[in-house]
Structure formats: C-alpha cells, structure tokens
Amino acid sequence: MDFLRIALELFVGFFSLFFLTRLLGKMTITQITTFDFISALVLGELVGNALYDHEIGLTEILFAVAFWGILIFSTEIITQKNIRIRGFLEGKPSLIIHKGKIQYDELKKNHLDIDQLQHLLRAKDAFSLREVEYAILETNGTVSVLKKAEYATPTRADHNMSNKPPALPITFISDGRLLKENLTMSGLNETWLQEELHKKGIRHYSQVLYAEWEDGNSLHVETY
C-alpha cells in the first residue's frame, strides 16, 4: 500500500506542478531570478517531503501546491504593477562596464570577480575587455553587452544596402510527418508540396526528415 500511496501522490504532485508552472507562464532557466529559483525549490520540497510523511495525504498536497501557487501568482501580479516591489523581489540590473571602464564597486556588490566577468563577456562574443563600451549585469545573472563602434558588427544600414523584410521559415515536414496547419497558414496546399517533392525525386513524406519553406526561396528538404 505504501508503494501505491507514493505512486498516487507522485502522480497528483506531478500534474499539480505541471498545471501550476503552465499557469504562472513560460520562462527559460536563464530567465529565472533569485526569487523564482527559491520559489521553485520550495514548491518541489512541498511535494517531495509530503511523499514520505504518512500523515499527509492528497488533500494536504493539493492544498499546499495551490496555496503556494496563489502566493507566487499574487506576487507576480504585484511586481507587474509596482516598480518598487519589483525591484526588491527581482533585483535591478547593474552597470558593470561604463564607457569602457570596469565599475569595480558594482562587481564587488554583485560578488562578481574578473574571471567570472570575462566568462560572461565571452559568452557574448566579447573576448577582450577593450571591445566593450557598456556591459549590464541583468537580474537573471546574464550580461548584456554593447561593443565599441570599432568592434561592433556592421549592419545593412552601415553599408547602405537595401532592407528586405525578413521572412520566417515555416516547417512543412518533420520526421516524416506533414504539418498541415503550417502548410495552410502559408497559403499553399499539398498538391504544390507534392509537386516540389517529386522534382527532388521524393515520392512519400516518410522519406523526408525535414522540409521548410521560406517566402522568396525554394523548398529546402533533408531526407533520411
């Protein structure tokens, strides 16, 4: 019965956490702030500890997850509306390089040393401190970098090139399966797609690993 109870509580806890994370919104691991990280740990502990406490049942687990979710959700709403509380809970970005000069006080305040700073800058393709005009340490621990003019990547405007609006590639076939919604969204149909595949000697969708289409370009196909 203990195995059955643990399995049942794991099942309920899993879907409770899944529902709660979907409710609170999408966020990648690199976007998680200190407050979000602590909240995730506490939420996991609530479910994990309840599994091995025989006095805690499904009702208590659901209540704990729901109540903690309400607290987090309420906090998110408050931080969206109140800038002061948002700064207290999520922190504020720090300007760690200003006009090419390292702001040592900001590094010290954020417990960041030179080696860590260089690592963060290299992740942004800045392999030398002399390349950086401004660097901002974000609340999630990443660094946003603005390079000096002589090291910045030139744009089309710098070369006076024509500005053609970018087009988003659309996947038509993935792992041998036709994605009909994407085909319809692009304004094309299966007849056109099959004709294009036949030109490439492909008779069935199952032969295609990946196929994408971009407005103004031909169909790109990768077979198995």
Side-chain angles (χ1 to χ4, degrees):
M1 292 299 295
D2 284 340
F3 289 111
L4 181 61
R5 178 185 63 82
I6 293 174
L8 185 60
E9 290 180 351
L10 276 174
F11 181 82
V12 173
F14 172 79
F15 281 101
S16 298
L17 293 177
F18 176 76
F19 175 77
L20 185 59
T21 52
R22 290 299 299 271
L23 179 66
L24 294 177
K26 299 179 179 179
M27 183 175 293
T28 64
I29 190 67
T30 57
Q31 295 174 308
I32 294 179
T33 63
T34 303
F35 180 75
D36 297 322
F37 178 70
I38 294 174
S39 299
L41 288 180
V42 172
L43 191 57
E45 285 293 313
L46 289 175
V47 177
N49 291 335
L51 294 177
Y52 303 101
D53 192 334
H54 295 277
E55 297 182 0
I56 297 179
L58 293 177
T59 304
E60 287 80 4
I61 293 177
L62 289 174
F63 174 78
V65 172
F67 188 73
W68 187 255
I70 291 173
L71 290 177
I72 299 300
F73 187 75
S74 300
T75 303
E76 292 291 338
I77 296 298
I78 293 173
T79 54
Q80 289 176 5
K81 298 181 179 296
N82 192 306
I83 297 179
R84 292 183 179 179
I85 295 179
R86 183 191 311 166
F88 174 73
L89 293 177
E90 299 181 357
K92 296 180 179 179
S94 298
L95 187 63
I96 54 179
I97 297 181
H98 177 69
K99 293 185 177 180
K101 184 175 178 58
I102 298 175
Q103 305 299 300
Y104 180 73
D105 290 339
E106 291 296 324
L107 289 183
K108 187 177 179 180
K109 184 172 68 175
N110 289 280
H111 308 287
L112 195 67
D113 58 41
I114 295 297
D115 290 337
Q116 292 171 324
L117 174 60
Q118 289 178 312
H119 169 75
L120 293 171
L121 292 178
R122 286 195 296 268
K124 297 294 184 178
D125 295 327
F127 286 82
S128 173
L129 292 172
R130 74 182 69 183
E131 300 178 14
V132 182
E133 183 74 8
Y134 293 97
I136 300 173
L137 180 64
E138 305 293 354
T139 56
N140 57 16
T142 61
V143 168
S144 299
V145 175
L146 181 63
K147 291 185 178 181
K148 294 179 180 178
E150 59 266 33
Y151 297 104
T153 303
T155 64
R156 298 179 67 89
D158 294 330
H159 294 286
N160 297 319
M161 299 172 65
S162 61
N163 294 321
K164 180 183 177 182
L168 182 67
I170 302 176
T171 303
F172 285 167
I173 301 175
S174 177
D175 290 322
R177 295 181 298 105
L178 173 65
L179 305 179
K180 291 185 178 181
E181 292 183 1
N182 291 357
L183 190 62
T184 303
M185 180 178 64
S186 65
L188 301 171
N189 52 50
E190 280 195 64
T191 302
W192 173 86
L193 179 59
Q194 290 171 355
E195 289 177 354
E196 292 296 315
L197 292 177
H198 289 166
K199 292 178 183 178
K200 300 178 183 294
I202 300 171
R203 299 297 175 183
H204 303 285
Y205 298 141
S206 58
Q207 298 175 250
V208 181
L209 174 64
Y210 178 77
E212 73 171 22
W213 174 81
E214 183 179 341
D215 190 20
N217 294 318
S218 60
L219 183 69
H220 176 73
V221 178
E222 296 282 346
T223 57
Y224 283 98

